[in-house]
Structure formats: structure tokens, C-alpha cells
């Protein structure tokens, strides 16, 4: 039986997810890519090298992030956060966010790990999605 997840259940799902999918608009078309992200308060924090998703979100900051937990066809949970891209440019905030991401996702590549330790090279984009709305649904 399908049921809507509560706000807290939805946040718990985001906190436990290892991989999320970022949806944004690139050149007027939908674009979805996997990311690691961390939920804190009303923001999802992440990082990326420059590329299509970053240029797309700089042009159109509307974005969504989806996570799921699938045990079987009849037992799963899924959630989406809708919000707006905000680039983090202050060095101390960049360093803090990258450090937290590294602690939560220790399998970041060695290059990403080194970036997190020395406070992020300028080419790495650190960003957050300010959450406007959360939705979640479960089956089973």
C-alpha cells in the first residue's frame, strides 16, 4: 500500500542516502546526474567540477534532488527536494562543507579528498540547494 512520507521520514531518507540524483535544466532540456549530497537544516550540500550541471544551474537555479531506498518492487521509499541552486564562494564555508562531505562520503576520490583537506581548489564548485519543498512516498 502506498503512503506519503512525513517531513521527518523524508529527511531521514535524505540523510541515509549514499547516492542522489540532481535534476536541473541545461540548454532548455531536463538533465539528471548522480551526486553525493548532505542534508542540513533546509539545504542539501554538494560539490562538483565545472560542467553541464553547474553551467545549467548558474543559468537557471531551479533544481530538484531525488533519493530512494529500494528493497523490492513492493517495498521502497522515494523522496524529492525541490529548490534553488546557490553557489558557495566564501572560503571558510567551502572548507567546512567539503570537510563534512568527506566525513560522510569517505570514498571520494583521492583528488577530491586532497581538495577537501586543503580547502578546495578554485575549480571545484561547492554548492547548496535551498529546499523550498520536500515530498516523499513509500510502498510496502
Amino acid at each position: 500500500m502506498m503512503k506519503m512520507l512525513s517531513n521527518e521520514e523524508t529527511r531521514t531518507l535524505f540523510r541515509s542516502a549514499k547516492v542522489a540524483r540532481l535534476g536541473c535544466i541545461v540548454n532548455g532540456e531536463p538533465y539528471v546526474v548522480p551526486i553525493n549530497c548532505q542534508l542540513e537544516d533546509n539545504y542539501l550540500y554538494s560539490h562538483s567540477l565545472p560542467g553541464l550541471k553547474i553551467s545549467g544551474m548558474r543559468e537557471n537555479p531551479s533544481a530538484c534532488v531525488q533519493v530512494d531506498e529500494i528493497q523490492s518492487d513492493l517495498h521502497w521509499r522515494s523522496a524529492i527536494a525541490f529548490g534553488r541552486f546557490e553557489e558557495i564562494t566564501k572560503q571558510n564555508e567551502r572548507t567546512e562543507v567539503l570537510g563534512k562531505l568527506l566525513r560522510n562520503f569517505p570514498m571520494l576520490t583521492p583528488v577530491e579528498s586532497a581538495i577537501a583537506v586543503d580547502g578546495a581548489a578554485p575549480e571545484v564548485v561547492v554548492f547548496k540547494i535551498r529546499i523550498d519543498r520536500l515530498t516523499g512516498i513509500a510502498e510496502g
Side-chain angles (χ1 to χ4, degrees):
M1 174 190 282
M2 298 270 262
K3 77 165 194 150
M4 298 302 293
L5 298 177
S6 69
N7 185 54
E8 190 50 43
E9 289 171 317
T10 300
R11 289 177 175 279
T12 298
L13 184 55
F14 268 98
R15 286 186 201 104
S16 66
K18 297 298 179 194
V19 175
R21 289 159 204 84
L22 171 72
C24 57
I25 302 298
V26 174
N27 299 323
E29 295 184 337
Y31 185 71
V32 178
V33 292
I35 62 168
N36 295 116
C37 64
Q38 177 172 331
L39 175 68
E40 263 186 50
D41 298 321
N42 212 33
Y43 292 93
L44 287 167
Y45 292 90
S46 192
H47 74 292
S48 175
L49 293 175
L52 286 175
K53 68 180 167 288
I54 298 300
S55 61
M57 290 188 297
R58 284 175 173 161
E59 185 175 316
N60 179 351
S62 293
C64 65
V65 179
Q66 185 268 337
V67 295
D68 52 38
E69 177 184 272
I70 302 170
Q71 294 179 354
S72 71
D73 290 347
L74 298 175
H75 193 84
W76 52 265
R77 301 184 309 157
S78 181
I80 302 177
F82 297 89
R84 301 195 53 86
F85 165 82
E86 296 178 10
E87 196 163 337
I88 299 171
T89 58
K90 293 180 182 173
Q91 187 60 42
N92 62 336
E93 188 178 2
R94 288 169 53 88
T95 302
E96 181 182 340
V97 169
L98 285 169
K100 288 178 183 179
L101 287 167
L102 180 60
R103 282 190 296 280
N104 287 327
F105 301 101
M107 297 306 291
L108 294 176
T109 66
V111 170
E112 290 172 314
S113 298
I115 287 167
V117 168
D118 59 49
E123 64 270 20
V124 172
V125 177
V126 181
F127 66 93
K128 57 189 173 185
I129 303 295
R130 180 179 35 84
I131 299 170
D132 295 327
R133 179 170 50 105
L134 284 171
T135 65
I137 193 166
E139 170 72 39

PDB file of all heavy atoms in Angstrom, residues 102 109-121:
ATOM      1  N   LEU A 102      33.400  14.911   2.997  1.00  0.00           N
ATOM      2  CA  LEU A 102      34.437  13.891   3.067  1.00  0.00           C
ATOM      3  C   LEU A 102      34.199  12.935   4.239  1.00  0.00           C
ATOM      4  O   LEU A 102      34.371  11.728   4.105  1.00  0.00           O
ATOM      5  CB  LEU A 102      35.814  14.539   3.188  1.00  0.00           C
ATOM      6  CG  LEU A 102      36.993  13.572   3.266  1.00  0.00           C
ATOM      7  CD1 LEU A 102      37.069  12.688   2.025  1.00  0.00           C
ATOM      8  CD2 LEU A 102      38.288  14.332   3.458  1.00  0.00           C
ATOM      9  N   THR A 109      37.195  10.335  -4.345  1.00  0.00           N
ATOM     10  CA  THR A 109      38.475  10.018  -4.980  1.00  0.00           C
ATOM     11  C   THR A 109      39.610  10.721  -4.248  1.00  0.00           C
ATOM     12  O   THR A 109      39.390  11.720  -3.557  1.00  0.00           O
ATOM     13  CB  THR A 109      38.473  10.460  -6.454  1.00  0.00           C
ATOM     14  OG1 THR A 109      38.407  11.885  -6.489  1.00  0.00           O
ATOM     15  CG2 THR A 109      37.323   9.854  -7.221  1.00  0.00           C
ATOM     16  N   PRO A 110      40.852  10.237  -4.390  1.00  0.00           N
ATOM     17  CA  PRO A 110      41.983  10.900  -3.731  1.00  0.00           C
ATOM     18  C   PRO A 110      42.098  12.376  -4.085  1.00  0.00           C
ATOM     19  O   PRO A 110      42.441  13.195  -3.247  1.00  0.00           O
ATOM     20  CB  PRO A 110      43.194  10.101  -4.235  1.00  0.00           C
ATOM     21  CG  PRO A 110      42.638   8.752  -4.546  1.00  0.00           C
ATOM     22  CD  PRO A 110      41.243   9.003  -5.056  1.00  0.00           C
ATOM     23  N   VAL A 111      41.797  12.739  -5.331  1.00  0.00           N
ATOM     24  CA  VAL A 111      41.857  14.153  -5.717  1.00  0.00           C
ATOM     25  C   VAL A 111      40.838  14.946  -4.908  1.00  0.00           C
ATOM     26  O   VAL A 111      41.140  16.003  -4.358  1.00  0.00           O
ATOM     27  CB  VAL A 111      41.605  14.317  -7.232  1.00  0.00           C
ATOM     28  CG1 VAL A 111      41.432  15.778  -7.598  1.00  0.00           C
ATOM     29  CG2 VAL A 111      42.745  13.699  -8.018  1.00  0.00           C
ATOM     30  N   GLU A 112      39.608  14.432  -4.814  1.00  0.00           N
ATOM     31  CA  GLU A 112      38.589  15.123  -4.027  1.00  0.00           C
ATOM     32  C   GLU A 112      38.974  15.168  -2.560  1.00  0.00           C
ATOM     33  O   GLU A 112      38.739  16.162  -1.883  1.00  0.00           O
ATOM     34  CB  GLU A 112      37.225  14.444  -4.209  1.00  0.00           C
ATOM     35  CG  GLU A 112      36.652  14.643  -5.599  1.00  0.00           C
ATOM     36  CD  GLU A 112      35.417  13.811  -5.826  1.00  0.00           C
ATOM     37  OE1 GLU A 112      35.438  12.614  -5.485  1.00  0.00           O
ATOM     38  OE2 GLU A 112      34.440  14.363  -6.338  1.00  0.00           O
ATOM     39  N   SER A 113      39.563  14.112  -2.049  1.00  0.00           N
ATOM     40  CA  SER A 113      39.994  14.090  -0.656  1.00  0.00           C
ATOM     41  C   SER A 113      41.046  15.162  -0.408  1.00  0.00           C
ATOM     42  O   SER A 113      41.001  15.880   0.589  1.00  0.00           O
ATOM     43  CB  SER A 113      40.558  12.722  -0.289  1.00  0.00           C
ATOM     44  OG  SER A 113      39.561  11.736  -0.432  1.00  0.00           O
ATOM     45  N   ALA A 114      42.013  15.294  -1.298  1.00  0.00           N
ATOM     46  CA  ALA A 114      43.050  16.314  -1.150  1.00  0.00           C
ATOM     47  C   ALA A 114      42.438  17.705  -1.219  1.00  0.00           C
ATOM     48  O   ALA A 114      42.819  18.603  -0.467  1.00  0.00           O
ATOM     49  CB  ALA A 114      44.112  16.143  -2.227  1.00  0.00           C
ATOM     50  N   ILE A 115      41.467  17.881  -2.093  1.00  0.00           N
ATOM     51  CA  ILE A 115      40.797  19.177  -2.203  1.00  0.00           C
ATOM     52  C   ILE A 115      40.115  19.520  -0.884  1.00  0.00           C
ATOM     53  O   ILE A 115      40.195  20.640  -0.398  1.00  0.00           O
ATOM     54  CB  ILE A 115      39.770  19.140  -3.360  1.00  0.00           C
ATOM     55  CG1 ILE A 115      40.508  19.152  -4.702  1.00  0.00           C
ATOM     56  CG2 ILE A 115      38.794  20.304  -3.275  1.00  0.00           C
ATOM     57  CD1 ILE A 115      39.624  18.806  -5.883  1.00  0.00           C
ATOM     58  N   ALA A 116      39.450  18.549  -0.283  1.00  0.00           N
ATOM     59  CA  ALA A 116      38.745  18.796   0.975  1.00  0.00           C
ATOM     60  C   ALA A 116      39.724  19.172   2.074  1.00  0.00           C
ATOM     61  O   ALA A 116      39.433  20.032   2.901  1.00  0.00           O
ATOM     62  CB  ALA A 116      37.935  17.574   1.378  1.00  0.00           C
ATOM     63  N   VAL A 117      40.901  18.545   2.090  1.00  0.00           N
ATOM     64  CA  VAL A 117      41.883  18.825   3.135  1.00  0.00           C
ATOM     65  C   VAL A 117      42.448  20.229   2.998  1.00  0.00           C
ATOM     66  O   VAL A 117      42.573  20.959   3.970  1.00  0.00           O
ATOM     67  CB  VAL A 117      43.019  17.763   3.102  1.00  0.00           C
ATOM     68  CG1 VAL A 117      44.182  18.185   3.978  1.00  0.00           C
ATOM     69  CG2 VAL A 117      42.477  16.425   3.549  1.00  0.00           C
ATOM     70  N   ASP A 118      42.807  20.652   1.779  1.00  0.00           N
ATOM     71  CA  ASP A 118      43.397  21.977   1.686  1.00  0.00           C
ATOM     72  C   ASP A 118      42.408  23.063   1.320  1.00  0.00           C
ATOM     73  O   ASP A 118      42.784  24.131   0.873  1.00  0.00           O
ATOM     74  CB  ASP A 118      44.662  22.020   0.825  1.00  0.00           C
ATOM     75  CG  ASP A 118      44.499  21.576  -0.604  1.00  0.00           C
ATOM     76  OD1 ASP A 118      43.573  22.029  -1.298  1.00  0.00           O
ATOM     77  OD2 ASP A 118      45.340  20.787  -1.015  1.00  0.00           O
ATOM     78  N   GLY A 119      41.143  22.832   1.535  1.00  0.00           N
ATOM     79  CA  GLY A 119      40.158  23.891   1.455  1.00  0.00           C
ATOM     80  C   GLY A 119      39.601  24.175   0.088  1.00  0.00           C
ATOM     81  O   GLY A 119      39.013  25.224  -0.116  1.00  0.00           O
ATOM     82  N   ALA A 120      39.789  23.313  -0.858  1.00  0.00           N
ATOM     83  CA  ALA A 120      39.167  23.384  -2.168  1.00  0.00           C
ATOM     84  C   ALA A 120      39.902  24.289  -3.138  1.00  0.00           C
ATOM     85  O   ALA A 120      40.080  25.474  -2.904  1.00  0.00           O
ATOM     86  CB  ALA A 120      37.709  23.800  -2.075  1.00  0.00           C
ATOM     87  N   ALA A 121      40.329  23.678  -4.196  1.00  0.00           N
ATOM     88  CA  ALA A 121      40.904  24.442  -5.296  1.00  0.00           C
ATOM     89  C   ALA A 121      39.793  25.247  -5.956  1.00  0.00           C
ATOM     90  O   ALA A 121      38.641  24.839  -5.943  1.00  0.00           O
ATOM     91  CB  ALA A 121      41.543  23.482  -6.294  1.00  0.00           C
TER      92      ALA A 121
END
